[in-house]
Amino acid sequence: MSWFESFVLGLVQGLTEFLPISSSAHLRLTAAFAGWHDPGAAFTAITQIGTEAAVLIYFRKDIARILSAWFRSLTDRTMRGDHDAQMGWLVIVGSIPIGVLGITLKDQIEGPFRDLRLIATTLIVMGIVLGIADRLAARDETGGRHRVVKERKTLKDLGVRDGLIYGFCQAMALVPGVSRSGATISGGLLMGYTRESAARYSFLLAIPAVLASGAYELKDVGEGHVSWGPTIFATLVAFFVGYAVIAWFMKFITTKSFMPFVIYRILLGIVIFALIWSGALSPHAGESAG
C-alpha cells in the first residue's frame, strides 16, 4: 500500500465512519474503483481506532462521568441506581452480541462478506430500513393531520432489553455495507428513541467494540500488502477528519432528516449492481491481491 492510498483510505474512513453509509463498505469500494488491493478487514478495524479516538475526545465529559459512576457502583450499592452507572453497564451489555459474533464469524468477515454484491445489497436494504425509521421518527416529532406530537424516549429510558437490541443492531455492521451507526440509529428510532439519543448511544456503544477489534487485528498488520507505516498514517488521517465529521453530524441530526443518506445508499447500491452486471466491475475486485 502506498502513502497516497493510505491517505485516501484514511480520509474515506474519517468521512464515513459516523455517517449511516458504512465506512467498511466505502473503504472496500474505494479500493475496488481505484484498482487497488482490498485493504482488508484488519486495516479497516485498525483505522477505526482513529475515528474512535475522535469519539473519546468529543464525548470525553460524558465518558468520564459514566466511567466514574460505573467504577463507584462496583463498591457502593447506592450508586447502582445512578443513570451514568447504569449507562456503563448498558454499554457492556450492548457490546456482548458483536463480541460473540465477531469471533464466531471472523472467517466470513474477512472473506465472503466482502463480496461487492453483498455490499450493494446491504446498502440498499439498510437504506430502506433507515428511511422507514426516519419517517416514523418524523411523524412522532411533527404530528400532523389527525395526529398529535408523540414524545420519544431518551437515554434515561434505556434498559437492558433495549441495550441488547441496540447491541444486535450493531453486530449487523460486521457485514460491510450495513453501517454501525446506520444500524444502531435505525434500531433506536424504531424503538422510539429521539435521533440525538439514538446517535449518542450508538457512538458510545461502538467504543469497546471498535477498540477491541482494532487491538485484535494488530497482529495482522505487516502481512500481505499492508504495512505499519501507511496503516498508522491512515489512522491519524481518520482521527482528524472523523472529529470534524462527528461534530457536524451531532448538530445535523437535531434538525435534519436522514433521507439524504437513505437516497445515497440506495443509489450507490444500484450503481454497484449495474457495474457488476455490465462486467465493468468484478464482485471480487482486488480480493486476490489483497
Side-chain angles (χ1 to χ4, degrees):
M1 177 181 290
S2 70
W3 291 99
F4 176 71
E5 287 179 51
S6 67
F7 172 76
V8 172
L9 293 174
L11 183 64
V12 170
Q13 168 63 28
L15 286 171
T16 59
E17 172 66 18
F18 303 116
L19 306 182
I21 57 177
S22 179
S23 61
S24 57
H26 279 75
L27 288 175
R28 176 78 177 90
L29 290 169
T30 299
F33 288 153
W36 301 336
H37 299 334
D38 179 359
F43 177 86
T44 300
I46 293 168
T47 55
Q48 285 176 340
I49 293 178
T51 44
E52 215 53 41
V55 172
L56 292 174
I57 293 176
Y58 186 84
F59 290 111
R60 60 189 180 280
K61 293 181 180 179
D62 290 13
I63 293 170
R65 194 176 63 248
I66 290 170
L67 285 175
S68 174
W70 182 79
F71 276 114
R72 281 184 288 158
S73 74
L74 295 177
T75 55
D76 185 354
R77 290 188 176 185
T78 62
M79 285 294 299
R80 293 175 187 175
D82 182 83
H83 172 66
D84 289 325
Q86 292 175 345
M87 276 296 296
W89 286 111
L90 289 171
V91 168
I92 294 173
V93 168
S95 299
I96 294 173
I98 197 171
V100 173
L101 293 174
I103 295 172
T104 305
L105 301 175
K106 185 178 186 300
D107 291 339
Q108 287 74 24
I109 294 168
E110 296 176 347
F113 285 1
R114 301 186 74 78
D115 188 306
L116 295 181
R117 291 166 296 190
L118 177 59
I119 290 175
T121 301
T122 54
L123 282 169
I124 294 171
V125 172
M126 287 306 300
I128 294 171
V129 172
L130 179 60
I132 293 172
D134 184 71
R135 293 300 298 170
L136 290 175
R139 187 179 66 180
D140 288 347
E141 293 165 355
T142 61
R145 191 175 184 182
H146 308 306
R147 290 184 61 84
V148 296
V149 174
K150 181 180 178 180
E151 185 175 352
R152 294 181 70 83
K153 294 189 286 187
T154 68
L155 291 185
K156 291 184 178 180
D157 301 305
L158 187 65
V160 173
R161 171 186 167 275
D162 287 358
L164 277 173
I165 293 175
Y166 265 113
F168 279 107
C169 289
Q170 177 179 237
M172 293 171 61
L174 291 170
V175 181
V178 170
S179 169
R180 186 191 311 274
S181 64
T184 49
I185 290 173
S186 294
L189 294 179
L190 290 173
M191 286 189 289
Y193 286 87
T194 65
R195 300 169 195 270
E196 194 273 341
S197 294
R200 185 173 290 268
Y201 184 63
S202 170
F203 295 150
L204 292 175
L205 186 60
I207 294 172
V210 170
L211 294 182
S213 175
Y216 179 78
E217 296 289 357
L218 287 174
K219 62 181 176 25
D220 293 331
V221 177
E223 297 182 2
H225 72 287
V226 180
S227 57
W228 272 106
T231 301
I232 293 174
F233 180 54
T235 303
L236 290 173
V237 172
F239 164 73
F240 288 108
V241 176
Y243 187 85
V245 171
I246 193 174
W248 170 83
F249 186 64
M250 290 305 295
K251 293 179 181 178
F252 175 88
I253 60 174
T254 58
T255 57
K256 304 295 184 181
S257 166
F258 287 114
M259 278 303 160
F261 303 113
V262 172
I263 295 170
Y264 172 77
R265 289 181 65 106
I266 294 174
L267 290 178
L268 179 58
I270 292 172
V271 168
I272 295 169
F273 272 128
L275 291 173
I276 292 173
W277 286 335
S278 69
L281 182 67
S282 167
H284 306 288
E287 283 186 3
S288 59

